[in-house]
Amino acid sequence: MKQETVTIKNRAGIHARPAALIVRTASEFESEIFIELDDMKINAKSIMGIITLGANYKSILQISAEGEDEEDAVSAIAKLFENRFEED
Amino acid sequence: MKNFTVLDLIDLDLKDHNSLNLKCVAGRKGLQRIITDPEINRPGLTLSGFFNEFAYHRIQLFGRGEIAYLNMLEANDTMSAVEKMFSYQLSCCIFSQSVTPSKKLLQIAENAGCAVLQTDLTSSEFTIRLMRALNDIFAPKKVIHAVLVEVFGIGVLITGGSGVGKSETALELIERGHRLIADDSVVLKSVNGSFLMGSGRNEMLGHHMEIRGLGIINVSNLFGVGSIRDKKQVQLLIELEIWNSDANYDRLGTGDITKEILDVQIPLIKLPVKAGRNIPILIEVAAMNERLKKLGYHSAQEFDDNVLKWLESKNARSLYSNKNDIF
Protein backbone atom coordinates (compact mmCIF):
# COMPACT_ATOMS: atom_id res chain seq x y z
CA MET A 1 0.00 0.00 0.00
CA LYS A 2 1.20 3.47 -0.89
CA GLN A 3 0.38 6.50 1.28
CA GLU A 4 0.97 10.22 1.13
CA THR A 5 -0.08 13.19 3.26
CA VAL A 6 -1.25 16.36 1.54
CA THR A 7 -2.42 19.80 2.65
CA ILE A 8 -5.15 21.81 0.94
CA LYS A 9 -3.59 24.93 -0.49
CA ASN A 10 -6.48 26.56 -2.35
CA ARG A 11 -8.62 28.99 -0.33
CA ALA A 12 -11.99 27.48 -1.24
CA GLY A 13 -11.16 23.95 -0.10
CA ILE A 14 -12.60 20.89 -1.81
CA HIS A 15 -15.87 21.99 -3.37
CA ALA A 16 -17.64 20.45 -6.35
CA ARG A 17 -15.10 21.22 -9.06
CA PRO A 18 -11.97 19.97 -7.26
CA ALA A 19 -13.93 16.92 -6.14
CA ALA A 20 -14.86 16.13 -9.74
CA LEU A 21 -11.21 16.57 -10.70
CA ILE A 22 -10.10 14.10 -8.01
CA VAL A 23 -12.73 11.54 -9.04
CA ARG A 24 -11.80 11.86 -12.69
CA THR A 25 -8.13 11.33 -11.90
CA ALA A 26 -8.80 8.48 -9.48
CA SER A 27 -11.03 6.67 -11.97
CA GLU A 28 -8.12 6.42 -14.42
CA PHE A 29 -6.45 3.94 -12.09
CA GLU A 30 -7.26 0.34 -11.29
CA SER A 31 -6.18 0.63 -7.63
CA GLU A 32 -8.56 1.13 -4.71
CA ILE A 33 -7.90 4.73 -3.65
CA PHE A 34 -8.98 6.26 -0.34
CA ILE A 35 -8.82 9.72 1.17
CA GLU A 36 -8.77 10.19 4.93
CA LEU A 37 -9.58 13.24 7.05
CA ASP A 38 -9.75 12.87 10.84
CA ASP A 39 -11.78 9.72 11.43
CA MET A 40 -13.42 9.71 7.99
CA LYS A 41 -12.16 7.48 5.23
CA ILE A 42 -13.83 7.63 1.84
CA ASN A 43 -13.45 6.18 -1.61
CA ALA A 44 -11.67 8.63 -3.91
CA LYS A 45 -13.84 7.49 -6.81
CA SER A 46 -17.02 8.78 -5.16
CA ILE A 47 -17.80 12.44 -5.73
CA MET A 48 -20.35 12.85 -2.92
CA GLY A 49 -17.98 11.11 -0.52
CA ILE A 50 -15.22 13.60 -1.25
CA ILE A 51 -17.50 16.63 -0.99
CA THR A 52 -19.02 15.51 2.32
CA LEU A 53 -15.53 15.22 3.82
CA GLY A 54 -15.86 18.99 4.18
CA ALA A 55 -12.15 19.51 3.63
CA ASN A 56 -11.41 23.23 3.94
CA TYR A 57 -8.32 25.40 3.54
CA LYS A 58 -5.25 23.98 5.30
CA SER A 59 -6.90 20.63 6.11
CA ILE A 60 -4.42 17.78 6.16
CA LEU A 61 -5.51 14.69 4.29
CA GLN A 62 -4.07 11.24 3.84
CA ILE A 63 -4.20 9.63 0.41
CA SER A 64 -3.74 5.89 0.19
CA ALA A 65 -3.97 3.43 -2.66
CA GLU A 66 -3.74 -0.30 -2.99
CA GLY A 67 -3.33 -2.13 -6.28
CA GLU A 68 -1.00 -2.55 -9.21
CA ASP A 69 -0.76 1.13 -10.12
CA GLU A 70 -0.85 2.46 -6.54
CA GLU A 71 2.37 4.51 -6.90
CA ASP A 72 1.12 6.42 -9.94
CA ALA A 73 -2.37 6.85 -8.49
CA VAL A 74 -1.17 8.46 -5.26
CA SER A 75 1.30 10.75 -6.99
CA ALA A 76 -1.29 11.82 -9.61
CA ILE A 77 -3.77 12.80 -6.88
CA ALA A 78 -1.15 14.43 -4.68
CA LYS A 79 -0.16 16.51 -7.70
CA LEU A 80 -3.72 17.91 -7.94
CA PHE A 81 -3.43 19.17 -4.37
CA GLU A 82 0.03 20.56 -5.09
CA ASN A 83 -1.34 22.49 -8.09
CA ARG A 84 -4.19 23.90 -5.94
CA PHE A 85 -6.66 22.27 -8.37
CA GLU A 86 -5.69 25.03 -10.78
CA GLU A 87 -7.28 27.59 -8.47
CA ASP A 88 -5.99 30.47 -6.34
CA MET B 1 -13.77 9.59 16.99
CA LYS B 2 -13.08 13.29 17.26
CA ASN B 3 -12.85 14.66 20.78
CA PHE B 4 -16.27 15.49 22.16
CA THR B 5 -16.11 18.69 24.17
CA VAL B 6 -18.59 20.37 26.53
CA LEU B 7 -19.23 22.93 23.78
CA ASP B 8 -20.21 20.11 21.42
CA LEU B 9 -22.68 18.92 24.07
CA ILE B 10 -24.38 22.36 24.16
CA ASP B 11 -24.28 22.52 20.36
CA LEU B 12 -26.00 19.15 19.83
CA ASP B 13 -28.88 19.56 17.43
CA LEU B 14 -31.55 17.56 19.26
CA LYS B 15 -35.22 18.20 18.73
CA ASP B 16 -38.43 18.11 20.80
CA HIS B 17 -38.38 15.33 23.37
CA ASN B 18 -34.63 14.85 22.91
CA SER B 19 -33.48 18.42 23.43
CA LEU B 20 -31.25 19.03 26.46
CA ASN B 21 -31.98 22.79 26.76
CA LEU B 22 -28.49 23.54 28.03
CA LYS B 23 -26.94 26.96 28.50
CA CYS B 24 -23.68 28.00 30.00
CA VAL B 25 -23.84 30.27 33.07
CA ALA B 26 -20.17 30.35 34.09
CA GLY B 27 -16.72 28.96 33.37
CA ARG B 28 -16.62 29.51 29.63
CA LYS B 29 -12.98 28.43 29.58
CA GLY B 30 -14.16 24.95 30.54
CA LEU B 31 -16.23 24.58 27.37
CA GLN B 32 -13.16 23.17 25.65
CA ARG B 33 -12.86 20.32 28.15
CA ILE B 34 -13.28 16.89 26.64
CA ILE B 35 -16.03 14.54 27.80
CA THR B 36 -14.42 11.11 27.97
CA ASP B 37 -16.99 9.16 29.94
CA PRO B 38 -20.60 8.88 28.72
CA GLU B 39 -21.96 8.69 32.25
CA ILE B 40 -23.35 10.91 34.99
CA ASN B 41 -22.31 11.41 38.59
CA ARG B 42 -24.53 12.89 41.32
CA PRO B 43 -22.00 14.58 43.58
CA GLY B 44 -23.90 14.21 46.88
CA LEU B 45 -21.20 12.16 48.61
CA THR B 46 -18.46 14.39 47.28
CA LEU B 47 -20.09 17.53 48.69
CA SER B 48 -20.21 15.87 52.10
CA GLY B 49 -16.43 15.47 51.89
CA PHE B 50 -16.13 11.83 50.82
CA PHE B 51 -13.69 11.73 47.91
CA ASN B 52 -12.94 8.00 47.61
CA GLU B 53 -13.74 6.66 44.14
CA PHE B 54 -14.90 10.13 43.06
CA ALA B 55 -15.83 9.83 39.37
CA TYR B 56 -14.64 13.36 38.57
CA HIS B 57 -14.29 12.75 34.82
CA ARG B 58 -18.03 12.15 34.54
CA ILE B 59 -20.59 14.88 34.03
CA GLN B 60 -21.60 16.20 37.48
CA LEU B 61 -25.35 16.67 37.79
CA PHE B 62 -26.75 18.81 40.61
CA GLY B 63 -30.41 18.23 41.37
CA ARG B 64 -32.67 19.79 44.02
CA GLY B 65 -31.07 17.79 46.84
CA GLU B 66 -27.49 18.69 45.99
CA ILE B 67 -28.44 22.34 45.59
CA ALA B 68 -30.15 22.46 48.98
CA TYR B 69 -27.05 20.90 50.50
CA LEU B 70 -24.83 23.44 48.72
CA ASN B 71 -26.94 26.28 50.12
CA MET B 72 -26.59 24.84 53.62
CA LEU B 73 -22.80 24.58 53.20
CA GLU B 74 -22.65 28.18 52.10
CA ALA B 75 -24.83 29.37 54.98
CA ASN B 76 -22.45 27.62 57.41
CA ASP B 77 -19.46 28.93 55.45
CA THR B 78 -17.99 25.44 55.05
CA MET B 79 -17.18 25.38 51.35
CA SER B 80 -13.87 23.50 51.57
CA ALA B 81 -15.33 20.30 50.10
CA VAL B 82 -16.72 22.27 47.17
CA GLU B 83 -13.34 23.89 46.57
CA LYS B 84 -11.65 20.51 46.77
CA MET B 85 -14.19 19.08 44.34
CA PHE B 86 -13.41 21.77 41.76
CA SER B 87 -9.68 21.14 42.13
CA TYR B 88 -10.28 17.91 40.20
CA GLN B 89 -10.44 18.06 36.39
CA LEU B 90 -14.27 17.85 36.27
CA SER B 91 -15.69 17.54 32.74
CA CYS B 92 -18.55 19.95 33.58
CA CYS B 93 -21.30 20.69 36.12
CA ILE B 94 -24.96 20.81 35.22
CA PHE B 95 -27.75 22.26 37.35
CA SER B 96 -31.25 21.01 36.65
CA GLN B 97 -34.62 22.80 36.93
CA SER B 98 -33.15 26.18 35.94
CA VAL B 99 -31.51 26.67 39.32
CA THR B 100 -28.83 29.33 39.22
CA PRO B 101 -26.07 28.45 41.65
CA SER B 102 -24.84 31.04 44.16
CA LYS B 103 -22.25 33.67 43.22
CA LYS B 104 -19.70 31.99 45.47
CA LEU B 105 -20.00 28.68 43.63
CA LEU B 106 -19.88 30.33 40.23
CA GLN B 107 -16.71 32.12 41.32
CA ILE B 108 -15.11 28.83 42.42
CA ALA B 109 -16.04 27.21 39.09
CA GLU B 110 -14.78 30.22 37.15
CA ASN B 111 -11.42 30.09 38.92
CA ALA B 112 -11.15 26.35 38.32
CA GLY B 113 -12.02 26.80 34.63
CA CYS B 114 -14.93 24.36 34.85
CA ALA B 115 -18.06 25.03 32.82
CA VAL B 116 -21.33 25.40 34.75
CA LEU B 117 -24.38 24.59 32.68
CA GLN B 118 -28.05 24.94 33.41
CA THR B 119 -31.11 23.13 32.10
CA ASP B 120 -34.81 23.66 32.71
CA LEU B 121 -35.52 19.93 32.81
CA THR B 122 -35.92 17.87 35.96
CA SER B 123 -32.94 15.75 36.97
CA SER B 124 -34.51 12.42 36.06
CA GLU B 125 -35.79 13.61 32.68
CA PHE B 126 -32.46 15.26 31.94
CA THR B 127 -30.59 12.09 32.91
CA ILE B 128 -32.66 10.01 30.50
CA ARG B 129 -32.16 12.44 27.62
CA LEU B 130 -28.46 12.90 28.30
CA MET B 131 -27.83 9.16 28.50
CA ARG B 132 -29.66 8.68 25.23
CA ALA B 133 -27.64 11.43 23.53
CA LEU B 134 -24.31 10.26 24.94
CA ASN B 135 -25.01 6.62 24.08
CA ASP B 136 -25.60 7.76 20.54
CA ILE B 137 -22.39 9.80 20.41
CA PHE B 138 -20.18 7.18 22.02
CA ALA B 139 -21.69 4.28 20.04
CA PRO B 140 -19.28 2.31 17.84
CA LYS B 141 -19.42 3.90 14.40
CA LYS B 142 -18.41 2.99 10.91
CA VAL B 143 -18.70 4.77 7.57
CA ILE B 144 -19.24 2.52 4.58
CA HIS B 145 -19.58 3.00 0.86
CA ALA B 146 -23.21 2.06 0.22
CA VAL B 147 -26.74 3.37 -0.26
CA LEU B 148 -29.39 3.16 2.44
CA VAL B 149 -33.05 3.13 1.41
CA GLU B 150 -36.27 2.32 3.20
CA VAL B 151 -38.35 -0.16 1.20
CA PHE B 152 -41.82 -1.03 2.54
CA GLY B 153 -40.63 -0.03 6.02
CA ILE B 154 -37.50 -2.18 5.92
CA GLY B 155 -34.11 -0.46 6.04
CA VAL B 156 -32.17 -1.88 3.09
CA LEU B 157 -28.45 -1.26 2.80
CA ILE B 158 -27.24 -1.72 -0.77
CA THR B 159 -23.52 -2.40 -1.15
CA GLY B 160 -21.33 -3.41 -4.07
CA GLY B 161 -18.29 -2.33 -6.01
CA SER B 162 -17.87 1.05 -7.69
CA GLY B 163 -20.02 1.31 -10.83
CA VAL B 164 -22.23 -1.72 -10.17
CA GLY B 165 -25.32 0.49 -10.09
CA LYS B 166 -26.09 1.16 -6.42
CA SER B 167 -27.23 4.75 -6.93
CA GLU B 168 -29.24 3.91 -10.05
CA THR B 169 -31.00 1.09 -8.18
CA ALA B 170 -31.77 3.44 -5.30
CA LEU B 171 -33.05 6.08 -7.69
CA GLU B 172 -35.53 3.67 -9.23
CA LEU B 173 -36.65 2.59 -5.76
CA ILE B 174 -37.26 6.25 -4.84
CA GLU B 175 -39.14 6.70 -8.09
CA ARG B 176 -41.34 3.77 -7.06
CA GLY B 177 -42.24 5.59 -3.83
CA HIS B 178 -39.60 4.37 -1.39
CA ARG B 179 -37.31 6.59 0.68
CA LEU B 180 -33.69 7.58 0.57
CA ILE B 181 -31.72 7.85 3.81
CA ALA B 182 -28.19 8.26 2.48
CA ASP B 183 -26.34 7.79 -0.76
CA ASP B 184 -22.68 7.00 -1.19
CA SER B 185 -21.38 7.12 2.35
CA VAL B 186 -23.58 5.77 5.12
CA VAL B 187 -22.78 6.18 8.80
CA LEU B 188 -23.61 3.02 10.73
CA LYS B 189 -23.95 3.10 14.51
CA SER B 190 -24.34 0.13 16.75
CA VAL B 191 -27.10 1.04 19.20
CA ASN B 192 -26.55 -0.81 22.51
CA GLY B 193 -24.85 -3.49 20.43
CA SER B 194 -28.29 -4.80 19.47
CA PHE B 195 -29.16 -3.09 16.22
CA LEU B 196 -27.62 -0.91 13.53
CA MET B 197 -28.78 2.63 12.86
CA GLY B 198 -27.86 4.15 9.52
CA SER B 199 -27.81 7.82 8.56
CA GLY B 200 -26.15 10.23 6.16
CA ARG B 201 -22.86 11.84 7.04
CA ASN B 202 -23.75 15.44 6.61
CA GLU B 203 -27.21 16.87 7.25
CA MET B 204 -26.55 19.95 5.16
CA LEU B 205 -25.44 18.00 2.10
CA GLY B 206 -27.66 14.99 2.74
CA HIS B 207 -30.22 13.54 0.36
CA HIS B 208 -28.24 14.42 -2.73
CA MET B 209 -27.22 11.74 -5.18
CA GLU B 210 -24.59 11.57 -7.85
CA ILE B 211 -25.79 9.74 -10.94
CA ARG B 212 -23.26 9.21 -13.71
CA GLY B 213 -24.36 11.21 -16.72
CA LEU B 214 -26.84 13.36 -14.77
CA GLY B 215 -24.55 14.84 -12.16
CA ILE B 216 -25.69 15.76 -8.67
CA ILE B 217 -29.44 15.76 -8.02
CA ASN B 218 -31.43 16.85 -4.98
CA VAL B 219 -33.79 14.01 -4.09
CA SER B 220 -36.08 15.89 -1.69
CA ASN B 221 -36.66 18.69 -4.20
CA LEU B 222 -37.24 16.33 -7.10
CA PHE B 223 -39.42 13.71 -5.41
CA GLY B 224 -40.80 15.62 -2.41
CA VAL B 225 -40.13 15.38 1.30
CA GLY B 226 -41.98 12.07 1.39
CA SER B 227 -39.06 10.50 -0.41
CA ILE B 228 -36.44 11.14 2.25
CA ARG B 229 -35.76 10.09 5.79
CA ASP B 230 -33.01 11.06 8.25
CA LYS B 231 -32.17 7.73 9.81
CA LYS B 232 -33.33 4.17 9.75
CA GLN B 233 -32.45 0.85 11.30
CA VAL B 234 -30.57 -1.41 8.88
CA GLN B 235 -32.56 -4.63 8.62
CA LEU B 236 -31.42 -6.12 5.33
CA LEU B 237 -28.16 -6.12 3.45
CA ILE B 238 -28.15 -6.41 -0.35
CA GLU B 239 -24.81 -7.07 -1.98
CA LEU B 240 -24.83 -6.29 -5.71
CA GLU B 241 -22.25 -8.04 -7.83
CA ILE B 242 -21.64 -8.51 -11.54
CA TRP B 243 -23.18 -11.80 -12.72
CA ASN B 244 -20.63 -14.58 -12.70
CA SER B 245 -21.80 -17.74 -14.46
CA ASP B 246 -19.39 -19.88 -12.42
CA ALA B 247 -20.67 -18.68 -9.06
CA ASN B 248 -23.30 -20.62 -7.14
CA TYR B 249 -26.20 -18.34 -6.33
CA ASP B 250 -28.82 -19.14 -3.72
CA ARG B 251 -31.67 -20.90 -5.53
CA LEU B 252 -33.92 -21.84 -2.62
CA GLY B 253 -33.49 -19.17 0.02
CA THR B 254 -33.71 -21.66 2.86
CA GLY B 255 -30.20 -21.06 4.14
CA ASP B 256 -30.34 -17.76 5.98
CA ILE B 257 -27.01 -16.00 5.49
CA THR B 258 -26.06 -13.08 7.71
CA LYS B 259 -23.17 -10.68 7.82
CA GLU B 260 -21.69 -9.14 10.94
CA ILE B 261 -21.30 -5.38 11.03
CA LEU B 262 -20.14 -3.79 14.31
CA ASP B 263 -21.03 -7.06 16.12
CA VAL B 264 -24.63 -7.00 14.84
CA GLN B 265 -25.87 -9.79 12.56
CA ILE B 266 -27.76 -8.53 9.50
CA PRO B 267 -29.53 -10.82 6.97
CA LEU B 268 -27.57 -10.79 3.72
CA ILE B 269 -28.77 -11.33 0.15
CA LYS B 270 -26.29 -11.47 -2.72
CA LEU B 271 -27.90 -10.24 -5.93
CA PRO B 272 -26.11 -10.82 -9.22
CA VAL B 273 -26.58 -7.95 -11.68
CA LYS B 274 -27.23 -8.80 -15.32
CA ALA B 275 -29.18 -7.30 -18.19
CA GLY B 276 -32.81 -8.37 -17.90
CA ARG B 277 -32.76 -8.58 -14.11
CA ASN B 278 -34.73 -5.72 -12.66
CA ILE B 279 -32.81 -5.12 -9.43
CA PRO B 280 -35.20 -2.58 -7.81
CA ILE B 281 -38.10 -5.03 -8.12
CA LEU B 282 -35.96 -7.84 -6.74
CA ILE B 283 -35.11 -5.63 -3.77
CA GLU B 284 -38.78 -4.79 -3.21
CA VAL B 285 -39.62 -8.48 -3.13
CA ALA B 286 -36.67 -9.19 -0.83
CA ALA B 287 -37.90 -6.47 1.56
CA MET B 288 -41.46 -7.83 1.57
CA ASN B 289 -40.12 -11.34 2.09
CA GLU B 290 -38.09 -10.04 5.04
CA ARG B 291 -41.27 -8.56 6.53
CA LEU B 292 -43.05 -11.87 6.11
CA LYS B 293 -40.19 -13.60 7.90
CA LYS B 294 -40.53 -11.16 10.76
CA LEU B 295 -44.22 -12.04 10.95
CA GLY B 296 -43.21 -15.68 11.23
CA TYR B 297 -43.87 -16.77 7.68
CA HIS B 298 -40.79 -18.05 5.87
CA SER B 299 -41.68 -18.60 2.18
CA ALA B 300 -38.87 -21.01 1.31
CA GLN B 301 -39.20 -22.94 4.56
CA GLU B 302 -42.98 -23.21 4.21
CA PHE B 303 -42.61 -24.45 0.64
CA ASP B 304 -40.11 -27.10 1.73
CA ASP B 305 -42.41 -28.25 4.56
CA ASN B 306 -45.31 -28.55 2.08
CA VAL B 307 -43.19 -30.64 -0.29
CA LEU B 308 -42.26 -32.94 2.58
CA LYS B 309 -45.92 -33.29 3.64
CA TRP B 310 -46.98 -34.01 0.07
CA LEU B 311 -44.30 -36.71 -0.35
CA GLU B 312 -45.33 -38.20 2.98
CA SER B 313 -49.00 -38.39 1.94
CA LYS B 314 -48.03 -39.94 -1.39
CA ASN B 315 -46.07 -42.55 0.50
CA ALA B 316 -49.02 -43.34 2.70
CA ARG B 317 -51.38 -43.59 -0.27
CA SER B 318 -49.08 -45.83 -2.24
CA LEU B 319 -49.36 -48.39 0.55
CA TYR B 320 -52.99 -48.93 -0.44
CA SER B 321 -52.71 -48.54 -4.20
CA ASN B 322 -49.82 -50.88 -4.86
CA LYS B 323 -51.46 -54.12 -5.99
CA ASN B 324 -48.34 -56.25 -5.50
CA ASP B 325 -48.29 -55.63 -1.78
CA ILE B 326 -49.88 -58.28 0.39
CA PHE B 327 -51.75 -56.96 3.40
Side-chain angles (χ1 to χ4, degrees):
Chain A
M1 192 170 81
K2 170 87 176 144
Q3 280 190 324
E4 197 169 327
T5 307
V6 292
T7 312
I8 295 185
K9 293 180 174 170
N10 64 317
R11 283 288 323 173
I14 302 187
H15 53 101
R17 204 190 61 84
L21 212 57
I22 295 172
V23 171
R24 205 186 309 147
T25 312
S27 303
E28 289 169 11
F29 298 95
E30 286 292 312
S31 300
E32 290 259 358
I33 309 169
F34 293 98
I35 298 181
E36 271 172 83
L37 174 65
D38 299 332
D39 59 339
M40 297 174 281
K41 183 176 180 177
I42 53 92
N43 190 333
K45 294 176 185 175
S46 133
I47 198 159
M48 288 306 282
I50 293 176
I51 295 173
T52 46
L53 271 183
N56 50 358
Y57 184 47
K58 285 184 177 166
S59 298
I60 296 166
L61 292 91
Q62 180 103 317
I63 304 168
S64 60
E66 191 150 13
E68 280 184 7
D69 47 8
E70 55 186 41
E71 299 268 339
D72 297 336
V74 171
S75 63
I77 291 176
K79 208 172 155 208
L80 293 176
F81 285 84
E82 201 52 49
N83 292 341
R84 305 165 177 236
F85 307 105
E86 295 145 34
E87 282 181 5
D88 294 332
Chain B
M1 197 185 89
K2 259 165 81 176
N3 287 333
F4 185 74
T5 62
V6 180
L7 187 63
D8 292 329
L9 180 71
I10 301 178
D11 258 354
L12 278 183
D13 185 25
L14 300 169
K15 292 177 187 82
D16 308 328
H17 61 284
N18 286 323
S19 116
L20 296 172
N21 305 346
L22 283 172
K23 60 179 183 189
C24 181
V25 288
R28 266 165 233 284
K29 269 186 285 175
L31 291 178
Q32 291 307 325
R33 286 197 183 167
I34 297 158
I35 298 173
T36 50
D37 196 337
E39 279 177 84
I40 293 173
N41 184 48
R42 298 294 292 263
L45 278 175
T46 321
L47 292 176
S48 69
F50 187 76
F51 281 86
N52 291 8
E53 304 270 337
F54 174 38
Y56 59 90
H57 42 267
R58 291 187 181 174
I59 292 169
Q60 309 293 322
L61 179 62
F62 292 76
R64 278 270 159 93
E66 284 86 358
I67 290 156
Y69 192 74
L70 266 178
N71 290 341
M72 188 199 82
L73 287 179
E74 204 177 339
N76 298 342
D77 203 22
T78 47
M79 297 285 275
S80 60
V82 181
E83 273 160 27
K84 187 173 174 193
M85 180 183 163
F86 277 93
S87 70
Y88 286 81
Q89 186 78 7
L90 306 175
S91 57
C92 67
C93 293
I94 299 176
F95 287 80
S96 61
Q97 298 191 44
S98 291
V99 175
T100 309
S102 68
K103 280 216 175 87
K104 180 93 193 275
L105 188 114
L106 291 180
Q107 194 56 50
I108 294 172
E110 194 78 52
N111 293 342
C114 172
V116 178
L117 313 180
Q118 196 187 50
T119 176
D120 57 357
L121 302 166
T122 61
S123 301
S124 50
E125 178 62 24
F126 180 76
T127 309
I128 295 167
R129 293 186 187 191
L130 185 66
M131 292 313 292
R132 202 157 45 201
L134 291 178
N135 267 338
D136 195 41
I137 287 153
F138 285 83
K141 229 182 279 182
K142 195 176 171 186
V143 179
I144 66 160
H145 188 58
V147 188
L148 181 58
V149 278
E150 185 204 72
V151 180
F152 296 126
I154 296 275
V156 181
L157 189 69
I158 307 170
T159 62
S162 198
V164 78
K166 294 183 292 290
S167 296
E168 286 78 1
T169 303
L171 188 64
E172 184 158 350
L173 284 169
I174 295 162
E175 229 272 328
R176 293 174 66 86
H178 304 294
R179 291 168 169 168
L180 174 76
I181 292 100
D183 178 42
D184 209 79
S185 40
V186 181
V187 181
L188 297 176
K189 267 184 204 166
S190 158
V191 182
N192 303 325
S194 57
F195 64 92
L196 271 190
M197 196 54 113
S199 59
R201 227 184 37 214
N202 185 321
E203 278 186 17
M204 214 163 86
L205 305 179
H207 304 128
H208 283 71
M209 289 178 101
E210 188 238 346
I211 304 285
R212 254 148 261 199
L214 289 183
I216 294 172
I217 58 167
N218 182 333
V219 172
S220 71
N221 278 0
L222 276 172
F223 299 98
V225 280
S227 65
I228 58 165
R229 200 184 153 135
D230 285 340
K231 56 182 184 178
K232 173 74 193 169
Q233 184 191 345
V234 177
Q235 290 152 303
L236 181 63
L237 208 62
I238 303 267
E239 223 173 79
L240 298 184
E241 55 185 31
I242 303 292
W243 183 284
N244 174 4
S245 47
D246 297 333
N248 250 328
Y249 296 113
D250 192 4
R251 300 294 290 270
L252 288 174
T254 43
D256 289 324
I257 314 165
T258 58
K259 188 173 174 179
E260 194 178 281
I261 303 177
L262 297 171
D263 292 333
V264 182
Q265 297 287 344
I266 309 283
L268 168 73
I269 295 176
K270 283 189 183 178
L271 275 187
V273 178
K274 182 171 117 171
R277 280 170 67 85
N278 191 329
I279 301 297
I281 290 181
L282 295 181
I283 292 178
E284 277 188 345
V285 174
M288 286 193 281
N289 209 19
E290 193 56 35
R291 284 193 70 167
L292 270 182
K293 277 187 202 170
K294 283 190 196 302
L295 293 173
Y297 185 88
H298 193 306
S299 308
Q301 207 73 59
E302 191 91 1
F303 178 77
D304 196 27
D305 290 347
N306 283 341
V307 170
L308 286 173
K309 258 186 234 158
W310 176 55
L311 292 177
E312 202 57 44
S313 71
K314 258 183 102 176
N315 268 344
R317 216 177 298 220
S318 67
L319 278 179
Y320 300 98
S321 57
N322 197 333
K323 289 179 187 128
N324 298 328
D325 280 342
I326 304 154
F327 293 102

